[in-house]
Amino acid sequence: GYSEAFLLMAVPYALLRSLDLDRYLALQVTVMLLTVIGFAAMFGLLRRVLRFAKSTALIGAALFVISNMNYIAFVHIQLQFVVVVPMFFLLAALYWENRNSRPVLARVWICTLGILLGLLFTTTFYVAWFLVVCCATEVIFFVACTAISAPRTQVVLEGVRVIRAQAWN
């Protein structure tokens, strides 16, 4: 047995099956839908957050969704959800962008991220834990490198102040 519940994959699959699609076709359409969502999220991340040119963002998003070798094997279909990981970073960036100017919208973005992360844990446990552990490691390294590169602790204290200001969120 798997430790995953396939929850996020079951919703579009069940909807497609209710439209009288064959089970294999419904699965393929579900995977294609995941790929489209992953492509759009990566394009948005590259274009809006990282400020790449449109052509570079299109190529980067296309390479991202076809670089996953799991797309050729359906043994562990839940691992296909790795393509939607950029959506979490995009939601976090949208929260950070709107946290001071539009706090209500920022809360919508961060709540959406939290709900989707919970659903990701019930869908593909490995991808969700890998995402959380990598993000926590990245934050620890960022704080350590910032503390080392800035001999004065003002930069770190400023970061703590910003985080405290967002404590309610």
Side-chain angles (χ1 to χ4, degrees):
Y2 293 112
S3 62
E4 286 88 9
F6 301 101
L7 181 65
L8 284 176
M9 189 169 278
V11 173
Y13 177 81
L15 179 68
L16 292 168
R17 289 286 289 151
S18 70
L19 296 173
D20 290 330
L21 263 68
D22 176 66
R23 67 176 128 177
Y24 302 111
L25 182 58
L27 180 64
Q28 288 294 329
V29 171
T30 301
V31 171
M32 287 189 284
L33 177 66
L34 284 176
T35 305
V36 168
I37 291 169
F39 178 85
M42 183 55 111
F43 179 77
L45 187 66
L46 292 173
R47 185 82 174 117
R48 183 174 181 157
V49 177
L50 299 176
R51 312 261 189 244
F52 280 99
K54 191 180 288 187
S55 59
T56 307
L58 281 171
I59 293 169
L63 289 174
F64 172 75
V65 294
I66 66 168
S67 66
N68 182 7
M69 286 307 294
N70 289 318
Y71 77 94
I72 61 171
F74 284 125
V75 177
H76 299 282
I77 192 67
Q78 75 277 14
L79 297 179
Q80 291 292 334
F81 267 87
V82 76
V83 298
V84 298
V85 167
M87 182 173 46
F88 293 93
F89 293 108
L90 182 61
L91 288 170
L94 289 171
Y95 160 75
W96 194 257
E97 185 179 291
N98 294 298
R99 73 187 189 284
N100 294 324
S101 60
R102 297 186 287 185
V104 174
L105 183 61
R107 287 189 184 112
V108 168
W109 293 129
I110 201 73
C111 288
T112 304
L113 187 145
I115 290 168
L116 287 176
L117 185 62
L119 290 171
L120 188 68
F121 269 104
T122 62
T123 302
T124 174
F125 191 71
Y126 301 124
V127 172
W129 269 114
F130 189 73
L131 174 66
V132 169
V133 168
C134 286
C135 288
T137 304
E138 179 184 344
V139 168
I140 290 168
F141 280 138
F142 176 76
V143 169
C145 291
T146 302
I148 291 168
S149 68
R152 289 176 256 131
T153 58
Q154 279 186 317
V155 177
V156 176
L157 292 176
E158 179 65 22
V160 170
R161 189 192 65 71
V162 168
I163 290 170
R164 274 185 130 184
Q166 298 298 321
W168 177 254
N169 291 328

